[in-house]
Amino acid sequence: HSELHKFIPSFKKKVSVAGRIGHIELSKYKERHDALAVEMLQRGYQHKSPLEAPDFSYLPKEHYEAKVDKKESLKELCKRCSDCRNNILS
């Protein structure tokens, strides 16, 4: 959730997302945020940071339409979070 918010300034500056292809789905950016916000509330957390859909019109169509590589995402998550790694590998 926080990463979705973290990238907004970059999108406003029209920064390339080439290095993030396979890790984010821009066509579902707001939808993903909203789903995570619902999950946060279900887990008893607060959510006070609505997200306005960024303007991705400056990006090439293939970047905007790129899909998440789920295997690569799981690998990345395992690198970042030992609890997640343990849950995924068990």
Side-chain angles (χ1 to χ4, degrees), residues 28-67:
K28 296 182 179 182
Y29 205 79
K30 178 154 176 40
E31 181 182 329
R32 179 67 177 141
H33 170 271
D34 294 348
L36 288 169
V38 168
E39 184 175 334
M40 288 171 63
L41 295 171
Q42 289 173 341
R43 291 181 179 207
Y45 296 101
Q46 293 185 11
H47 181 262
K48 297 181 181 180
S49 55
L51 185 133
E52 186 175 321
D55 175 15
F56 295 120
S57 63
Y58 70 96
L59 294 169
K61 183 178 178 180
E62 61 271 13
H63 288 188
Y64 178 74
E65 294 178 350
K67 302 297 181 200

Side-chain angles (χ1 to χ4, degrees), residues 1-8 11 20 24 29 80:
H1 173 262
S2 64
E3 284 187 341
L4 294 173
H5 284 280
K6 179 177 80 172
F7 293 123
I8 296 296
F11 298 140
R20 302 292 298 165
I24 56 175
Y29 205 79
R80 292 182 186 195

Side-chain angles (χ1 to χ4, degrees), residues 55-89:
D55 175 15
F56 295 120
S57 63
Y58 70 96
L59 294 169
K61 183 178 178 180
E62 61 271 13
H63 288 188
Y64 178 74
E65 294 178 350
K67 302 297 181 200
V68 167
D69 182 329
K70 292 179 183 178
K71 287 182 182 179
E72 287 301 314
S73 290
L74 283 173
K75 283 184 196 176
E76 184 65 28
L77 187 57
C78 285
K79 282 194 251 177
R80 292 182 186 195
C81 175
S82 60
D83 288 339
C84 295
R85 181 175 50 252
N86 292 336
N87 288 334
I88 291 167
L89 298 176

Side-chain angles (χ1 to χ4, degrees), residues 10-17 55-60:
S10 295
F11 298 140
K12 288 182 179 179
K13 293 178 186 175
K14 300 184 177 183
V15 171
S16 170
V17 297
D55 175 15
F56 295 120
S57 63
Y58 70 96
L59 294 169

